[in-house]
Amino acid sequence: PAGSELLRWQWREVQVPCLVAAWILVASLAKIVFHLSRKVTSVVPESCLLILLGLGLGGIVLAVAKKAEYQLEPNMFFLFLLPPIVLDSGYFMPSRLFFDNIGAILTYAVVGTLWNSFATGMALWGLHRAGLMDPGVKAELMDFLLFGSLISAVDPVAVLAVFEEVHVNETLFIIVFGESLLNDAVTVVLYKVFNSFVELGPAHIHAMDYVKGVVSFFLVSLGGTAVGLLFAFLLALITRFTKRVRIIEPLFVFLLAYVAYLAAEMVSLSSILAVTFCGICCKKYVEANISQKSRTTVKYTMKTLASSSETIIFMFLGISAVDTSKWAWDTTLVLGTLLFILLFRAVGVVLQTCVLNRFRLIPLDRIDQVVMSYGGLRGAVAFALVILLDGAKVKAKDYFVATTIVVVFFTVIVQGLTIKPLVTWLKVKRSDHHKPTLNEELHEHAFDHILAAVEDIVGHHGYHYWRDKWEQFDKKYLSQLLMRKSAYRLRDEIWDVYYKLNIRDAISFVDQGGHVLSAAKLALPSMPSRTSMSESSVTNLLRESGSGACLDLQVIDTVRSRRDKEDAVMHHVLRGSLYKPRRRYKASYSRHFISPDKQERQDKEVFRQNMKRRLETFKSTKHNVCSSKSKARLKEKGRKKATSSSLMGAGPSRVSSQGAPFSNHPSQHLAAAPVLVMVSSDEEESNSSETEREDDEGIVFIARATDEVLQGKKTPESNIPLTVLLSAFPGSLDVCPSPCIIPPSPTLAEKELPWKGDQADLAVYVSSETTKIVPVDMQKAWNQSISSLESIGSPPGIETGPQHKRFTCPVLEEHPQSASQAMPEQSSCFQFPSHVSKSSRSHSDSSPDGIEQQELQPLMAAEELSRIVSPAEPRWLIQFNRASHL
Amino acid sequence: APGAARLPLSALAHPTPVTADQIEHLHRRFKQLSNDKPTIRKEHFDSIPDLEFNPIRCKIVQAFFDRRNLRQEEDGLADEINFEDFLTIMSYFRPIEPNMDEEQLQRFRTDKIKFLFHMYDADHDGIITLQEYRNVVEQLLSGNPHLEKGAARSIADGAMLEAAQTCVGPMGPNQVYEGITFDDFLKIWRGIDIETKMHVRFLNMEPIAHCC
């Protein structure tokens, strides 16, 4: 019946994607089911379970449809399933370990695979000649060699699936796994060469063809590597410029790696090598260039893709095996192949290790060799290759298919199941999964230099020598070319570890709820050694957490009544612990930019509050408070700051030893909590506004007892790093003090108790206007006004203060009594510390020893430290802006 | 090898010295560095071109003249070292021998760590103080001009805190951690297989013909 339909059944249109989605869904659900029982997955590798599941599903399909519908298509396998796995393994390959063992890996991959192929092929041919095989197996020497080449390659997918659960030591793992990746070139070449030989027929093979085979090996392997390197370079270069399109950053990684794969495949180079090397080589630069969020995205997407591919591959291996129409069983061939691949693998490993151990610094012992031999798993690559054979040319294809399936199943299931008990039984050195400590990282780093130096001295151009040379080259040219300026600047391994450790500490602290430490234990200034060190590291951290963060703050403490004090405490407690609404966010949807969601913001808020509470513990009433504010895009730095507070507070977790190098008074130490403003010093980023405004968090204003809390906020439009309230920077020209200094100088009381002053004045302190950057052309005028004011406002006593020698330390400096007495009088006319800083700079220039002395002071005797300072002493909080040095 | 033949090998009193062949190589190199003089002075190391870029080169060179490393009685720095001393220093970088027993291995390891410890402990007082540690870290990071000194310092501080934590554990409020002693240093190194790392292959050494 014609006419319009309300609904139409459109199965045909969606059939293919629908089936694909269904299979992936089934496999993923199966994974959930497997992992319901920890017992099962701890004994049986997932790959085995998936193969068994595939067998089951294949059986059902066969029973229902009466014919095997689905199987692993070689095209699908090579074009879609394999690349994610290879990319994942290349990208997350521990490159240092890989290149440290590259010699062994290459030997096993090239020599080992060649040996396995030829030995297996010849031995099988021998069996055939001896008449032990079914006469149905119509195969010549070339056929057997072809079969040998495809069956002998260790499979990366299978190895990874099994070894990831075994946790052998890293060296062993990298050798087996590296071999499985790099032997692809050999496999591809052998497969193609023998395939063409078979197709040509033995009669038409000339000597020239053998030569061509050898040449093509080098072409395929080196060419594949070159393609990989080329795309790695491109990828790194592209990610350098993605700053404004953060959202598609991860895409580039996948896209270029995939294009590398396809490009290599297109010209029949080794595509696995291409992607592997692309992943290994680009990682360093890409990770440095892309944002933190993109890094996470790349990581998760890659893992998800690889994991799903692996799941599908194993499941389809199982399903394909059901298709009996492709099978032709020959017991001799199957058993012979199984025997030979195990035997020759073992022989090959032992022989090669013999040779290699003469050159290796850490010899591979017998146990390692057993695991290496036994870990030579075959997998889907072999299966896909055997399916790809042309049945018309290779007469014994069906036999080969059956044998391959058996071999794959045997290695994955039997060896996969038994390798774990074997490793335990042999007491193979397991990998220890401890995170690197800072000390270890430092020592390792020192080590590299020492070894390189010794090689230089001995005049032996060994491995360390070349690695050193490469690192210098990388630093000088490659990194500069491929990394963003901002990333390049901060790029340092030690720094990275330091940073990560700090974050870990902070997170673990927050996880503990942030109040583990009892106030009684930590709150009072009576613990010089420990807190002072905590403090030192905190201040240190704050200073350099820098790398960008800086605020110069002058805090003037005055004597005040008890009443006032209490008021202040109350006020600040309320201020500090109430949740403050932040700047309102545009409720906008954007496909291009991700705005932090509410939850995230609240988390951040909680985190910050936690940290603040933590810091507070350290403060006695008259202390300045560290409150900091950072834009979310500087989240890292902000977090580091937070970390620093955790460091400070985490008495049990981080214990201090030495006195703080910054202040010579412990109680002052406790008091010192610099106000910190996060600043981007990165010109590259500073002019981008749209994206980053999204992340902007508005202003935090948190006051604490007796402190002035100063907030700074960098406006996205500004190019110049934000400076500081109430004080000028130590003399550097490119720093522009914030204009809020000019406005009415608050009275002391106003400063102490901000709510008592004019509200408008208060607003000056908190509003973002206060910290707006003075444009460059205004700087001059500004400086002039400062200097003119300086002459009026500065008491001569300050200059004599010995503590003013330093200006680089972001800590408060104390004034000697004389200075403090001078302070109250002049507080009505506002105090500019800039001259102090300047004078201190001149001091410091002239007397570096003085600095040293001061730095070391905390290390000195305790009695000196415990000198009590009147609370009326003004303190200076000086931080410098990193940006000002650039 | 005429040079090697008249060498007193007593410097290599420890179990597995380098082989005669390697000694010959080293001797050739030694003469090359010292301009055929019997001893080497610090300045001679300046002439090694590749060493120039090494951020901690002065520490390394100093280690060659450190009497503690030379197994000599007195303390301090030697002005010049002869070939014997040179070999002694080099022997710290021997690779592990397959036939070593547990005790030898332990001593071997300790020796190597001691060498490093001496490198950090600049004032020879048996303790790596914060200041000494900072110096080393500063030098280590000096290769990166974009990291400020402050960064190095806070890294050193962090490392020191960490060391205190691993070695002493949670400390009481009034406890002061003086610095890393050798025992603490051993503890820190527990996680690293120094014996598998600190060695330079002397085998097949080709002295560079035209160095310096």
Side-chain angles (χ1 to χ4, degrees):
Chain A
S4 64
E5 306 164 82
L6 273 179
L7 292 170
R8 201 149 45 102
W9 185 247
Q10 293 189 321
W11 170 245
R12 254 172 220 298
E13 282 84 347
V14 297
Q15 185 183 14
V16 174
C18 200
L19 279 176
V20 171
W23 280 120
I24 296 175
L25 186 67
V26 168
S28 310
L29 287 177
K31 263 190 156 173
I32 297 179
V33 174
F34 297 154
H35 285 274
L36 283 180
S37 158
R38 196 166 276 280
K39 221 189 228 163
V40 173
T41 41
S42 70
V43 177
V44 189
E46 209 179 76
S47 47
C48 299
L49 292 171
L50 283 168
I51 284 190
L52 295 177
L53 171 79
L55 279 174
L57 287 177
I60 294 170
V61 171
L62 189 67
V64 172
K66 298 283 184 273
K67 65 181 172 74
E69 286 261 11
Y70 309 100
Q71 68 153 335
L72 195 63
E73 297 292 339
N75 262 335
M76 182 182 78
F77 173 75
F78 282 116
L79 288 183
F80 301 111
L81 294 178
L82 192 54
I85 297 173
V86 179
L87 175 63
D88 172 68
S89 45
Y91 193 77
F92 293 105
M93 176 94 72
S95 54
R96 173 75 194 264
L97 201 60
F98 179 78
F99 286 112
D100 278 359
N101 291 296
I102 189 84
I105 293 172
L106 275 179
T107 316
Y108 289 120
V110 177
V111 181
T113 310
L114 281 175
W115 153 258
N116 279 347
S117 307
F118 281 100
T120 311
M122 299 291 251
L124 286 175
W125 182 62
L127 276 187
H128 184 69
R129 290 288 299 239
L132 292 171
M133 272 181 213
D134 191 273
V137 185
K138 292 193 180 66
E140 294 305 309
L141 174 62
M142 278 306 155
D143 300 80
F144 280 114
L145 285 177
L146 175 61
F147 179 64
S149 75
L150 67 87
I151 202 72
S152 62
V154 176
D155 184 70
V157 186
V159 166
L160 201 63
V162 168
F163 271 70
E164 265 190 346
E165 299 177 28
V166 179
H167 304 300
V168 294
N169 63 71
E170 304 160 313
T171 318
L172 196 52
F173 173 75
I174 204 78
I175 289 178
V176 177
F177 180 55
E179 177 202 338
S180 69
L181 276 176
L182 297 196
N183 68 16
D184 174 66
V186 182
T187 311
V188 166
V189 171
L190 285 182
Y191 180 79
K192 279 180 184 153
V193 168
F194 288 132
N195 210 2
S196 62
F197 284 179
V198 170
E199 282 171 14
L200 282 174
H204 307 281
I205 302 170
H206 304 291
M208 205 48 214
D209 294 318
Y210 295 107
V211 178
K212 271 188 195 158
V214 175
V215 172
S216 80
F217 165 72
F218 288 102
L219 213 63
V220 165
S221 53
L222 297 181
T225 311
V227 169
L229 293 181
L230 177 74
F231 277 90
F233 183 84
L234 274 179
L235 178 52
L237 202 63
I238 287 176
T239 51
R240 216 193 129 159
F241 303 104
T242 51
K243 192 180 70 253
R244 310 216 176 164
V245 282
R246 292 281 192 204
I247 207 80
I248 55 166
E249 263 173 358
L251 186 65
F252 283 116
V253 177
F254 296 102
L255 218 51
L256 266 117
Y258 192 51
V259 173
Y261 186 91
L262 294 180
E265 191 87 322
M266 194 168 61
V267 278
S268 69
L269 299 174
S270 168
S271 43
I272 291 187
L273 275 185
V275 174
T276 306
F277 277 97
C278 181
I280 292 178
C281 297
C282 76
K283 187 185 182 195
K284 180 182 167 187
Y285 311 105
V286 169
E287 292 275 284
N289 283 338
I290 61 180
S291 73
Q292 176 67 40
K293 279 175 187 161
S294 304
R295 240 171 281 164
T296 314
T297 312
V298 167
K299 184 175 167 190
Y300 272 90
T301 316
M302 220 176 250
K303 293 282 175 205
T304 310
L305 284 177
S307 167
S308 350
S309 297
E310 193 186 279
T311 308
I312 295 168
I313 288 172
F314 282 118
M315 196 173 74
F316 268 80
L317 269 181
I319 294 175
S320 314
V322 177
D323 188 1
T324 41
S325 64
K326 297 209 171 71
W327 278 60
W329 182 270
D330 180 67
T331 316
T332 320
L333 182 65
V334 170
L335 289 182
T337 312
L338 272 181
L339 175 74
F340 290 140
I341 61 164
L342 284 175
L343 180 72
F344 291 131
R345 166 98 188 152
V347 172
V349 165
V350 171
L351 288 179
Q352 288 171 86
T353 315
C354 253
V355 178
L356 276 173
N357 273 350
R358 299 175 54 132
F359 300 98
R360 277 183 71 83
L361 295 168
I362 317 142
L364 294 162
D365 57 22
R366 203 143 284 165
I367 292 173
D368 290 341
Q369 293 174 33
V370 172
V371 176
M372 282 170 60
S373 318
Y374 203 67
L377 306 179
R378 272 59 163 185
V381 173
F383 181 77
L385 286 177
V386 85
I387 294 285
L388 269 182
L389 288 177
D390 183 356
K393 302 272 168 49
V394 186
K395 300 280 190 316
K397 182 189 169 184
D398 288 356
Y399 290 96
F400 289 156
V401 171
T403 314
T404 308
I405 287 175
V406 172
V407 166
V408 170
F409 279 31
F410 179 84
T411 55
V412 171
I413 294 178
V414 178
Q415 284 176 234
L417 270 175
T418 48
I419 197 160
K420 214 168 184 176
L422 184 80
V423 164
T424 324
W425 183 62
L426 288 174
K427 297 192 185 65
V428 176
K429 233 167 92 189
R430 302 293 188 99
S431 64
D432 48 342
H433 269 300
H434 77 287
K435 296 265 162 59
T437 67
L438 195 52
N439 276 299
E440 283 175 6
E441 185 65 25
L442 281 172
H443 295 322
E444 300 244 7
H445 215 69
F447 242 176
D448 291 344
H449 290 304
I450 293 169
L451 291 181
V454 171
E455 284 198 352
D456 289 342
I457 289 169
V458 173
H460 167 57
H461 286 194
Y463 174 71
H464 300 291
Y465 172 85
W466 290 113
R467 214 206 45 242
D468 203 50
K469 279 271 157 322
W470 164 254
E471 268 170 19
Q472 279 172 26
F473 172 77
D474 175 70
K475 212 171 232 167
K476 254 190 201 148
Y477 305 106
L478 273 185
S479 289
Q480 297 215 9
L481 181 65
L482 298 178
M483 275 190 205
R484 277 185 201 169
K485 262 192 208 124
S486 54
Y488 172 67
R489 258 187 226 130
L490 283 177
R491 187 80 200 165
D492 194 282
E493 278 157 56
I494 299 178
W495 178 261
D496 285 351
V497 171
Y498 177 60
Y499 173 62
K500 274 181 201 139
L501 284 173
N502 276 340
I503 287 191
R504 208 174 66 201
D505 270 8
I507 289 173
S508 74
F509 166 66
V510 173
D511 284 348
Q512 288 164 9
H515 43 68
V516 195
L517 297 169
S518 70
K521 225 175 151 191
L522 286 165
L524 295 174
S526 56
M527 346 82 99
S529 66
R530 163 180 182 161
T531 1
S532 58
M533 179 54 167
S534 310
E535 183 59 44
S536 97
S537 70
V538 171
T539 31
N540 248 331
L541 273 165
L542 288 175
R543 173 182 43 191
E544 49 67 47
S545 68
S547 36
C550 269
L551 172 56
D552 203 348
L553 166 65
Q554 167 195 11
V555 179
I556 302 169
D557 243 4
T558 46
V559 197
R560 50 215 132 71
S561 74
R562 203 186 150 74
R563 178 76 216 271
D564 271 357
K565 241 185 235 175
E566 278 166 5
D567 273 1
V569 171
M570 208 54 222
H571 168 77
H572 290 291
V573 163
L574 287 176
R575 271 288 199 172
S577 39
L578 287 178
Y579 180 88
K580 277 166 296 304
R582 293 167 174 270
R583 201 171 82 178
R584 226 165 282 128
Y585 289 79
K586 279 179 287 181
S588 66
Y589 166 82
S590 166
R591 191 179 306 152
H592 308 294
F593 307 108
I594 305 167
S595 58
D597 59 317
K598 203 173 171 190
Q599 182 59 44
E600 196 180 332
R601 258 182 277 141
Q602 221 150 36
D603 284 351
K604 270 183 210 153
E605 177 66 32
V606 170
F607 184 90
R608 185 163 290 141
Q609 293 290 344
N610 256 329
M611 285 307 166
K612 283 191 177 129
R613 205 163 306 139
R614 188 66 173 255
L615 259 183
E616 231 171 315
T617 340
F618 285 92
K619 273 165 243 133
S620 58
T621 23
K622 64 183 179 71
H623 297 144
N624 311 309
V625 161
C626 162
S627 94
S628 69
K629 138 96 207 48
S630 76
K631 294 171 57 175
R633 105 189 134 87
L634 293 172
K635 201 166 89 199
E636 312 180 5
K637 288 168 187 170
R639 261 204 275 172
K640 198 181 297 161
K641 169 229 65 195
T643 309
S644 63
S645 17
S646 94
L647 254 181
M648 172 179 182
S653 75
R654 299 230 148 190
V655 186
S656 74
S657 49
Q658 306 287 340
F662 312 106
S663 153
N664 47 9
H665 197 285
S667 70
Q668 287 297 36
H669 259 306
L670 294 168
V675 172
L676 183 62
V677 176
M678 297 305 179
V679 166
S680 161
S681 59
D682 181 8
E683 292 96 328
E684 229 183 71
E685 309 225 337
S686 55
N687 50 359
S688 74
S689 51
E690 212 37 58
T691 350
E692 278 145 18
R693 206 201 296 264
E694 227 83 40
D695 291 341
D696 204 320
E697 276 177 42
I699 298 164
V700 195
F701 175 56
I702 293 174
R704 292 284 183 274
T706 81
D707 313 322
E708 294 161 303
V709 172
L710 301 171
Q711 299 293 338
K713 189 187 87 70
K714 187 181 170 217
T715 48
E717 300 80 26
S718 62
N719 278 335
I720 313 159
L722 148 88
T723 57
V724 153
L725 284 172
L726 283 177
S727 73
F729 263 99
S732 47
L733 269 173
D734 49 346
V735 167
C736 34
S738 105
C740 73
I741 298 180
I742 304 174
S745 35
T747 64
L748 264 187
E750 278 171 353
K751 286 179 167 187
E752 280 308 326
L753 312 164
W755 65 96
K756 283 194 177 172
D758 186 359
Q759 274 306 311
D761 277 0
L762 187 57
V764 168
Y765 288 93
V766 285
S767 103
S768 62
E769 286 304 303
T770 56
T771 57
K772 220 165 206 163
I773 302 312
V774 186
V776 185
D777 52 339
M778 274 182 68
Q779 279 185 43
K780 214 169 151 193
W782 177 243
N783 283 334
Q784 279 171 0
S785 71
I786 284 185
S787 53
S788 61
L789 277 169
E790 241 172 55
S791 49
I792 312 164
S794 58
I798 287 178
E799 247 112 318
T800 61
Q803 275 90 358
H804 296 154
K805 285 170 184 169
R806 290 176 297 121
F807 72 99
T808 46
C809 279
V811 208
L812 83 173
E813 309 204 321
E814 319 162 358
H815 290 271
Q817 206 66 30
S818 64
S820 69
Q821 275 154 7
M823 284 323 266
E825 284 130 49
Q826 54 154 217
S827 56
S828 56
C829 62
F830 191 76
Q831 172 76 25
F832 282 98
S834 62
H835 76 279
V836 175
S837 319
K838 274 178 187 164
S839 71
S840 65
R841 164 179 263 188
S842 61
H843 270 286
S844 67
D845 285 343
S846 58
S847 58
D849 286 355
I851 299 179
E852 189 79 342
Q853 191 62 25
Q854 273 213 333
E855 308 253 331
L856 289 173
Q857 236 160 11
L859 309 179
M860 294 176 176
E863 52 263 73
E864 210 179 313
L865 296 179
S866 52
R867 185 173 51 97
I868 289 157
V869 178
S870 125
E873 272 187 350
R875 274 166 276 132
W876 301 87
L877 198 61
I878 298 177
Q879 286 191 328
F880 68 94
N881 190 333
R882 186 178 81 109
S884 68
H885 297 274
L886 298 172
Chain B
R6 56 180 160 76
L7 280 173
L9 290 178
S10 56
L12 307 162
H14 13 262
T16 39
V18 271
T19 66
D21 211 23
Q22 292 161 21
I23 290 178
E24 195 195 333
H25 276 302
L26 280 176
H27 191 65
R28 232 180 283 156
R29 178 67 179 169
F30 182 83
K31 282 202 290 191
Q32 199 179 14
L33 287 177
S34 66
N35 297 327
D36 275 334
K37 294 206 186 63
T39 56
I40 281 190
R41 306 180 67 84
K42 258 188 196 162
E43 303 86 79
H44 291 125
F45 283 101
D46 296 337
S47 55
I48 304 173
D50 296 318
L51 209 55
E52 231 173 278
F53 305 105
N54 206 312
I56 52 171
R57 61 183 284 273
C58 72
K59 283 252 175 269
I60 294 163
V61 171
Q62 206 163 38
F64 274 79
F65 296 91
D66 195 327
R67 288 225 165 85
R68 290 170 299 178
N69 292 338
L70 297 172
R71 298 168 206 279
Q72 289 173 356
E73 291 304 313
E74 68 266 58
D75 210 18
L77 288 181
D79 289 330
E80 48 186 21
I81 53 169
N82 57 21
F83 182 56
E84 238 177 88
D85 300 330
F86 188 70
L87 278 186
T88 310
I89 298 292
M90 281 304 161
S91 70
Y92 283 106
F93 294 92
R94 280 172 305 145
I96 196 168
E97 299 287 324
N99 50 4
M100 275 178 162
D101 60 27
E102 205 49 48
E103 191 198 338
Q104 276 173 319
L105 206 66
Q106 201 52 46
R107 201 174 50 208
F108 188 72
R109 184 178 155 83
T110 316
D111 273 354
K112 282 176 187 261
I113 297 180
K114 207 160 224 155
F115 181 84
L116 277 172
F117 183 77
H118 292 158
M119 208 165 206
Y120 287 87
D121 180 23
D123 62 359
H124 298 230
D125 64 351
I127 275 187
I128 303 172
T129 58
L130 181 60
Q131 198 52 46
E132 283 165 345
Y133 211 167
R134 281 181 181 173
N135 285 340
V136 175
V137 176
E138 254 163 45
Q139 283 182 20
L140 266 180
L141 294 179
S142 63
N144 188 342
H146 303 295
L147 280 177
E148 315 159 26
K149 244 184 164 185
R153 215 183 266 161
S154 47
I155 289 176
D157 290 357
M160 203 71 179
L161 276 172
E162 194 184 79
Q165 202 199 336
T166 39
C167 303
V168 186
M171 291 163 79
N174 292 317
Q175 222 172 328
V176 175
Y177 187 62
E178 296 285 338
I180 303 171
T181 63
F182 184 63
D183 283 341
D184 294 347
F185 202 62
L186 280 176
K187 274 185 207 157
I188 294 168
W189 275 96
R190 217 162 13 186
I192 311 175
D193 295 335
I194 188 169
E195 60 270 23
T196 61
K197 286 195 170 133
M198 185 169 158
H199 43 53
V200 170
R201 199 177 319 156
F202 292 104
L203 281 167
N204 314 322
M205 232 165 17
E206 312 280 338
I208 317 155
H210 53 86
C211 178
C212 325

